[in-house]
């Protein structure tokens, strides 16, 4: 037996994986899954023996992953990979789970699922957030008929504890509806106390069915909506900032007049910082060429993904901002994250992506073309 160990010991030693892609992660996980299963099922020392290892390997793959785990049933451990509401990272959590192997005793889930219990609640900061003490009503604005604007009413709302109560309500909704539904269906959400409204209040238990109905109507209305920007008119607008610096924008005025804006409900702002100190806040000729080449690259990749409309750009005080309206958040999230990594040594890039069904981000330009 000692000879066997000597000859084969090196090969049977556990390999330390360097995680470079989803396949690497799952290879590492499969090497350890029986041990992890036993740890979670026992409920003992989970943070040190499972979470610490899992967190390290997920961070090697990409920053911004979060996770939850527990027993799905008496024999099955569920591992939930979540972006914790960060729109930019949801697509990566989904791709990681889609690459997961089928493993006896495990259930792998992307994003926190909706709670299926009739009565559900959480306790935070000496407050309870549950189906008994939270109600809601919906605000319908005729000017924005497709916008889902929800107001939550917490029975014990106190203005001095607004921050804690708002956070508790958001976490409740995130878990009650499911993470993806919470960020992708509701456009606006406000939280108030029962003395701040005279609206008829609805039990929060009816919110799921209400949102399903609104979302169904929305999808049916805009499912086949498309727009080609090839023949659109772009208008140059010039003004000055409050600091007296020049400001130039090139905006697709045909799209701003489009009546089906809500079909492209995700708004993307791409910000590129440059040195404008020698040119009144504008880039020099060399930088302009570089910025234009990047914008062409971005536009080509987003067009290839489909459902992404270039609304224009503005330049001022050392920043160029490019605007897109998108049907979904996944393609622009991936494209821009990859372009930031590609150009990190030559361009100071960042981006935001958020719900804006009626493109209110561009209200300034809408006011100037009407």
């Amino acid at each position: 037996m000692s000879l066997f160990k000597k000859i084969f010991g090196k090969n049977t030693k556990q390999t330390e994986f360097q995680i470079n892609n989803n396949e690497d992660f799952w290879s590492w996980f499969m090497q350890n899954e029986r041990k992890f299963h036993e740890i979670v099922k026992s409920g003992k020392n989970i943070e040190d023996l499972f979470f610490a290892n899992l967190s390290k390997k997920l961070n090697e793959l990409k920053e911004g992953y979060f996770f939850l785990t527990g027993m799905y049933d008496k024999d099955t451990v569920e591992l939930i990979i979540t972006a914790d509401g960060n729109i930019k990272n949801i697509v990566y959590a989904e791709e990681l789970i889609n690459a997961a192997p089928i493993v006896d005793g495990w259930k792998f889930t992307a994003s926190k699922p909706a709670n299926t219990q009739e009565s559900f609640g959480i306790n935070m900061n000496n407050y309870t957030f549950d189906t008994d003490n939270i109600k809601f009503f919906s605000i319908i604005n005729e000017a924005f008929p497709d916008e889902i604007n929800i107001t939550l009413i917490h029975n014990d709302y106190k203005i001095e504890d607004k921050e804690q109560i708002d956070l508790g309500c958001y976490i409740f909704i995130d878990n009650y509806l499911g993470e993806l539904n919470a960020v992708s269906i509701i456009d606006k959400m406000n939280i108030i106390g029962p003395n701040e409204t005279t609206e008829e209040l609805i039990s929060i238990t009816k919110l799921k069915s209400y949102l399903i109905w609104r979302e169904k109507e929305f999808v049916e209305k805009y499912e086949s909506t498309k727009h080609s920007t090839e023949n659109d008119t772009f208008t140059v607008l010039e003004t000055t900032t409050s600091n007296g610096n020049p400001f130039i924008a090139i905006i697709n005025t045909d799209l701003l007049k489009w009546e089906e804006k809500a079909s492209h409900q995700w708004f993307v702002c791409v910000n590129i910082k440059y040195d404008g100190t020698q040119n009144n806040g504008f880039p020099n000729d060399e930088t302009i060429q570089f910025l234009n080449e990047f914008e062409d690259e971005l536009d080509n990749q987003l067009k290839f993904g489909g459902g992404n409309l270039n609304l224009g750009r503005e330049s001022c005080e050392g920043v160029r901002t490019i605007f897109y309206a998108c049907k979904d958040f996944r393609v622009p999230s991936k494209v821009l994250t990859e372009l930031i990594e590609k150009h990190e040594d030559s361009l100071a890039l960042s981006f935001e992506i958020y719900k804006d069904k009626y493109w209110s981000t561009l209200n300034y330009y809408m006011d100037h073309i009407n």
Side-chain angles (χ1 to χ4, degrees), residues 185 207-218:
I185 299 180
L207 180 59
K208 289 181 182 178
S209 57
Y210 173 77
L211 294 177
I212 289 171
W213 167 62
R214 290 293 304 273
E215 182 73 357
K216 183 174 183 292
E217 281 196 331
F218 178 81

Side-chain angles (χ1 to χ4, degrees), residues 68 80 84 112-117 120-122 124 167-180 182 208:
L68 303 165
I80 300 170
D84 200 32
K112 288 172 279 189
N115 191 283
T116 57
Q117 300 173 1
F120 167 72
I122 58 175
M124 286 181 58
L167 177 61
C169 285
Y170 279 112
I171 292 174
F172 171 84
I173 290 296
D174 197 40
N175 286 275
Y176 187 59
L177 298 179
E179 181 181 0
L180 192 57
K208 289 181 182 178

Side-chain angles (χ1 to χ4, degrees), residues 23-39:
E23 289 70 27
D24 288 345
F25 173 82
W26 289 114
S27 293
W28 166 81
F29 188 89
M30 288 301 294
Q31 188 182 75
N32 297 277
E33 64 89 8
R34 279 298 90 193
K35 177 177 66 177
F36 292 156
H37 189 283
E38 291 171 7
I39 291 167

Side-chain angles (χ1 to χ4, degrees), residues 122-130 132-135 152-166 169 191-196 201:
I122 58 175
N123 294 304
M124 286 181 58
N125 300 316
N126 299 317
Y127 282 98
T128 298
F129 304 88
D130 59 27
D132 292 325
N133 68 1
I134 299 177
K135 295 180 174 58
L152 301 183
I153 299 88
H154 190 280
N155 286 349
D156 302 318
Y157 193 92
K158 295 177 183 177
I159 191 65
E160 61 267 27
D161 291 335
K162 173 179 171 56
E163 186 175 338
Q164 297 98 307
I165 295 175
D166 285 2
C169 285
I191 300 157
I192 62 174
N195 297 327
E196 298 179 63
L201 305 184

Side-chain angles (χ1 to χ4, degrees), residues 14 19 55 65 69 88 135 173 203 212-213 236 299 307 313:
Q14 187 182 56
I19 309 300
S55 180
Y65 287 122
T69 194
K88 298 177 183 180
K135 295 180 174 58
I173 290 296
S203 169
I212 289 171
W213 167 62
V236 178
D299 206 42
R313 67 175 188 242

